[in-house]
Amino acid sequence: MTTIRLTVNGQPIEAEVQPRTHLADFLREQQLLTGTNLGCEHGICGACTLEIDGAPARSCITYAIDCEGASIRTIEGFDGDAPMAALRAAFSTEHALQCGYCTPGMLVTARDIVTRLPGAPEARIRKELSGNLCRCTGYAGIVRAIRAVMAQSGTPSGPGLASVRPVAPTAP
Amino acid sequence: MKAPAFDFTQAQSVPDAVALLADTARFTKPLAGGQSLGPMLNLRVAFPEHLIGVRQIEALRHAFIDPANGELVLGAAVRHAQIEDGLIPDVTRGLLAHVAANIAYRAVRNRGTVGGSLAHADPAADWVNTMPLLGARIVVAGPDGEREIDARTFMTGPFTTALDEPELLVAVRVPALSDAARWAYVKFCRKPGEFAEAVGGVLIDRPRAVGRLLIGATDGAPVVLEAPTELLAASSTDSQVAEHWTDDRLRAAINAAGIGHDPYVAQLHLTMARRAIVAALA
């Protein structure tokens, strides 16, 4: 066991971890923050996506021991966050979830999209969502929710998928 | 799926990491962003006994232009997202940023590093294909100091490189393209973000006497074809360089790489190479 110090949802934490314990297991089983869901556990499905130092990351292929000094924000840590509040409402309105298993990771990714890529067209939103798998919704409601939040924040999403033509690979 | 038990030591510096990697009593490997090694551990494909954390070593986190020759020195722990976001100096007329933006998914690009991806040497990954196309050099540190390896000979097979133990990949030196350089990098993926089934790349930079075609995502090291020197003279044109790469030449290279036996695979690689040629000249 090794002692690590990190911040989780704004709280400084000191804890004993085994090197093999990934960040999601550390959060769920040692910190009892069960909002982070585990799907594939090898970095494909995106269910465990959370924020490390402000950027989305996979907590199943990040080891807690390698998070010394990091600031972690899980789905439980977005109270009072305006983009996340808007996304939660929009996910509900647009039927962007059914079983809810992918939703914590989906919301963290969606927040990254609306804050990093305001006004992104639908094709770009779908590309950015490609690392988060949802087996219920067919993604249609999720894309609508993201577009709705972009529209609310004064940065309307660009043209819908139907009007986006395939673009040849760019070269100078 | 949980990783097998391993020990972990955070290295404080490059010499510290090299000294730790020199421990031959245990199977010791460096851990950078963990976006390839993490899945390998969780899937129980790799069983290292001791991982050396190198992600936080300050000397690996820089990217700068070498004033001596204009090359970009890209630290091994620079993350794909930093390149995607234009946070490093661009000497490749956007090629590095274009490649970075299409590696896996943003959550992976936020953690995955250039050096980690190169050292992992998955034939279908992007930097092991891009760096040979650019004629970059891989800088590795060992007990006796640093040495450089031409990126075109760095990868010796699938998941196998010219790195000796206990060497650590510390940087990539990327030569600056001229203002006349034209490039293309295309890949075939059935789903955005997945590993490529075929990669095609072209770099035509006649002021620097470079005319290079890449056939990547093979079963091993990427194939790099260099255009004949006479086609790179000032009197020739970019189109003449491109016309050198006939379907016959491309098919011969695909066959020589050992991936010509499957008509589907061979056709995918031929098509990606052909698309790269068209895109570079567009």
Side-chain angles (χ1 to χ4, degrees):
Chain A
M1 299 288 259
T2 306
T3 304
I4 56 164
R5 283 160 299 273
L6 71 170
T7 304
V8 178
N9 297 335
Q11 299 293 315
I13 282 177
E14 186 173 305
E16 297 276 305
V17 295
Q18 289 185 358
R20 68 187 284 257
T21 301
H22 60 59
L23 180 60
D25 271 351
F26 168 74
L27 293 167
R28 290 177 56 85
E29 298 183 8
Q30 291 181 238
Q31 302 303 314
L32 305 181
L33 292 167
T34 53
T36 299
N37 286 345
L38 280 164
C40 72
E41 279 195 285
H42 64 283
I44 296 296
C45 77
C48 69
T49 305
L50 43 65
E51 279 188 9
I52 302 178
D53 296 328
R58 308 284 208 228
S59 57
C60 71
I61 51 173
T62 300
Y63 297 95
I65 199 165
D66 198 23
C67 292
E68 174 74 36
S71 178
I72 312 293
R73 180 147 74 159
T74 69
I75 195 65
E76 292 95 337
F78 287 92
D79 285 355
D81 180 81
M84 193 59 96
L87 280 164
R88 282 200 188 100
F91 265 53
S92 177
T93 305
E94 301 293 343
H95 192 69
L97 69 154
Q98 184 173 304
C99 84
Y101 201 84
C102 72
T103 308
M106 203 60 89
L107 281 168
V108 171
T109 297
R111 186 185 181 283
D112 179 54
I113 295 171
V114 299
T115 54
R116 185 168 55 87
L117 302 167
E122 179 171 342
R124 181 69 190 272
I125 293 170
R126 285 180 175 270
K127 180 170 182 277
E128 294 291 328
L129 281 174
S130 64
N132 290 70
L133 302 184
C134 172
R135 301 287 80 157
C136 301
T137 66
Y139 306 97
I142 297 170
V143 173
R144 279 199 309 271
I146 291 171
R147 287 169 63 89
V149 171
M150 282 181 176
Q152 288 164 22
S153 56
T155 54
S157 169
L161 193 63
S163 61
V164 177
R165 290 188 190 84
V167 177
T170 54
Chain B
M1 287 176 287
K2 318 289 182 189
F6 56 83
D7 294 329
F8 179 84
T9 306
Q10 188 73 59
Q12 303 303 315
S13 66
V14 171
D16 184 29
V18 171
L20 287 162
L21 289 166
D23 172 14
T24 53
R26 289 186 290 176
F27 180 21
T28 307
K29 281 285 176 188
L31 173 70
Q35 302 301 288
S36 296
L37 186 52
M40 303 284 276
L41 290 166
N42 288 10
L43 290 167
R44 305 271 174 132
V45 174
F47 289 83
E49 294 167 284
H50 189 191
L51 290 180
I52 311 302
V54 298
R55 187 172 66 79
Q56 310 229 35
I57 297 175
E58 192 58 31
L60 304 184
R61 296 166 69 97
H62 296 303
F64 60 93
I65 307 279
D66 183 343
N69 53 17
E71 288 181 343
L72 169 67
V73 181
L74 196 54
V78 169
R79 290 171 283 121
H80 314 316
Q82 293 174 299
I83 301 172
E84 174 185 14
D85 291 351
L87 301 178
I88 60 151
D90 180 28
V91 299
T92 63
R93 292 167 54 78
L95 174 54
L96 289 180
H98 169 78
V99 171
N102 292 289
I103 295 174
Y105 317 106
R106 181 72 181 186
V108 169
R109 299 196 291 274
N110 282 331
R111 305 269 312 162
T113 67
V114 173
S117 179
L118 284 165
H120 180 61
D122 187 319
D126 287 293
W127 297 128
V128 288
N129 287 302
T130 305
M131 296 308 174
L133 178 65
L134 283 166
R137 301 190 313 288
I138 315 290
V139 185
V140 303
D144 303 321
E146 292 186 352
R147 67 180 178 117
E148 293 184 1
I149 306 169
D150 189 316
R152 286 165 285 186
T153 57
F154 176 72
M155 200 171 155
T156 55
F159 304 98
T160 314
T161 70
L163 274 167
D164 286 330
E165 291 178 352
E167 285 176 332
L168 178 72
L169 198 163
V170 293
V172 186
R173 297 189 74 100
V174 181
L177 304 187
S178 82
D179 290 344
R182 303 168 89 167
W183 58 260
Y185 182 93
V186 297
K187 57 181 181 177
F188 183 83
C189 305
R190 284 180 299 174
K191 170 185 180 299
E194 74 168 8
F195 279 107
E197 292 186 38
V199 171
V202 164
L203 174 63
I204 300 174
D205 192 3
R206 287 184 298 116
R208 295 174 50 245
V210 173
R212 201 171 282 144
L213 182 136
L214 165 86
I215 296 169
T218 67
D219 285 351
V223 176
V224 176
L225 303 180
E226 306 279 352
T229 316
E230 60 269 23
L231 283 179
L232 302 172
S235 57
S236 66
T237 65
D238 289 349
S239 295
Q240 284 174 303
V241 178
E243 283 161 14
H244 170 72
W245 292 308
T246 60
D247 278 7
D248 284 348
R249 283 203 168 92
L250 297 177
R251 283 192 188 281
I254 289 165
N255 289 334
I259 49 173
H261 58 280
D262 182 328
Y264 170 74
V265 172
Q267 185 64 38
L268 269 190
H269 284 85
L270 178 68
T271 302
M272 288 304 111
R274 190 54 59 204
R275 282 188 191 173
I277 292 167
V278 170
L281 293 179

